[in-house]
Amino acid sequence: MFAVIKTGGKQYRVAKDDVIVVEKLAGDAGAKITFSDVLMTGDGKGLKLGKDLGGVTVTGELIETKKGDKVTVFKKRRRNTYRRKIGHRQAESHIKITAIGGKNDKE
């Protein structure tokens, strides 16, 4: 079974025991995270969209929050002795998906 969730302005296709990297979420390592913004679910036989979802949630466990890889930003204008170099490391959370289901399901 899989689900498509939305968090941090992005969409992720997840299944049980997947580890995903998302924008930084609040909480300590080991905290339970619940994603209620589920866009679609499927089990290989059929799909559920929109009103058919009716309270389906995806739960996960926060493994760690750390900084991602460095992105280097380099600006240059030729023949003007203008150079700027800056770097950025985005904070990201690693989450292990533990369950996909709703209030009535125990999947």
Side-chain angles (χ1 to χ4, degrees), residues 58-75:
V58 174
T59 58
E61 180 182 351
L62 184 62
I63 297 172
E64 65 179 342
T65 299
K66 64 179 187 175
K67 288 187 175 182
D69 295 334
K70 180 174 260 193
V71 176
T72 303
V73 179
F74 185 74
K75 299 178 181 180

Side-chain angles (χ1 to χ4, degrees), residues 1-103:
M1 182 165 190
F2 71 93
V4 177
I5 61 172
K6 183 177 178 182
T7 181
K10 300 177 184 77
Q11 297 176 8
Y12 300 91
R13 183 187 188 274
V14 297
K16 190 171 188 263
D17 297 328
D18 281 354
V19 176
I20 60 173
V21 179
V22 299
E23 299 269 336
K24 181 181 177 185
L25 297 174
D28 296 326
K32 300 292 180 194
I33 306 288
T34 302
F35 300 102
S36 59
D37 198 0
V38 179
L39 305 176
M40 180 176 77
T41 60
D43 58 359
K45 299 176 185 172
L47 296 174
K48 290 185 180 180
L49 298 166
K51 294 179 182 178
D52 295 338
L53 293 173
V56 174
T57 59
V58 174
T59 58
E61 180 182 351
L62 184 62
I63 297 172
E64 65 179 342
T65 299
K66 64 179 187 175
K67 288 187 175 182
D69 295 334
K70 180 174 260 193
V71 176
T72 303
V73 179
F74 185 74
K75 299 178 181 180
K76 178 180 167 134
R77 294 190 184 139
R78 62 185 186 166
R79 296 185 296 273
N80 289 324
T81 319
Y82 174 85
R83 289 185 291 278
R84 302 289 183 267
K85 182 178 178 182
I86 57 174
H88 175 73
R89 293 182 70 189
Q90 184 71 29
E92 58 188 26
S93 296
H94 296 249
I95 298 174
K96 181 175 183 178
I97 304 300
T98 56
I100 299 173
K103 298 173 182 172

